[in-house]
Amino acid sequence: MERREIAGLLAYMGRLDPRTMRTDPGELRDQVDQWQELLGDVPLATDHGWDARTAVRAHVLSSPYPVLPVDVARQWKKHSGDRLDRHTDPVPAADPDDVASWRAELLGTRHAVLAGQRPPNEQRAITAAEATVDPAVEARLRAIGSCIPPHVRQDLAPYRPAKARREQLVAEGLPDVLAVPCGWCGAAVNQSCRARRVVPRGGATSHRPMKTAHPSRVEAAAALAYDTHRQETAA
Ligand SMILES: [Zn+2]
């Protein structure tokens, strides 16, 4: 609050509780100084439900003691704390790899909520999928198509050959073999084909995942892709 606002608030308070009214100009100036020192960072009113006059009025109604600046400060603290409790951090528009600006944006939003400059974001982030996703974030997700950035995916490719091959096939517009089960080796959807590990003299066998799919599975995937394409063009 500025001096002018403090003076207005004190005049309002004097009308509600004449004991607090100062008539001597020197005393009045001291009172304004004291209140401004203590309430300089408390706003007079915000667009989101705070008004220092309401706080003064509530105190006069509920307490036999004259209003002190700390009573107003305490109510403001409670009001802004309640707001922050109801606030869920929205997804920042900044690049997530740029930690400094990501953090700055998160903190900036919280400070704005605390200061009453913006309403708390009350939607829980996980249920508010489309409504609160920033357009910039959405565009980036659409471009990448995955939460793993492309260069990281490239670095990981040697360690996940089957997935890398699948991504490559899909990127080239070829049928996705992992979308159908394999009739040859019995691999389920999303699982790589497997080859039998045979030990001499038979007996113990195990499976090892294959980098490529069995030919019959490739054919089945192609047939499925063809059917899907035909249905899409017919519809
Ligand atoms: Zn197979």
Side-chain angles (χ1 to χ4, degrees), residues 182 185 193 214:
C182 181
C185 64
C193 274
H214 286 118

Side-chain angles (χ1 to χ4, degrees), residues 52 61 63 66 72 74 82 87 110 112 120 126 138 152 155 164 167 182 188 201 222:
L61 283 175
S63 165
V72 179
R74 206 175 286 142
D82 283 351
H87 177 66
R110 287 189 198 174
I126 205 157
E138 210 184 326
V152 176
D155 292 347
E167 280 166 8
C182 181
R201 287 195 294 278

Side-chain angles (χ1 to χ4, degrees), residues 63-74:
S63 165
Y65 300 104
V67 189
L68 296 174
V70 67
D71 297 318
V72 179
R74 206 175 286 142

Side-chain angles (χ1 to χ4, degrees), residues 182-187 192-194 210 213-214 217:
C182 181
W184 181 260
C185 64
S192 324
C193 274
R194 50 211 180 167
M210 292 166 54
H214 286 118
R217 191 181 196 181

Side-chain angles (χ1 to χ4, degrees), residues 171-190:
E172 286 169 9
L174 294 170
D176 174 16
V177 288
L178 297 190
V180 291
C182 181
W184 181 260
C185 64
V189 172
N190 287 337

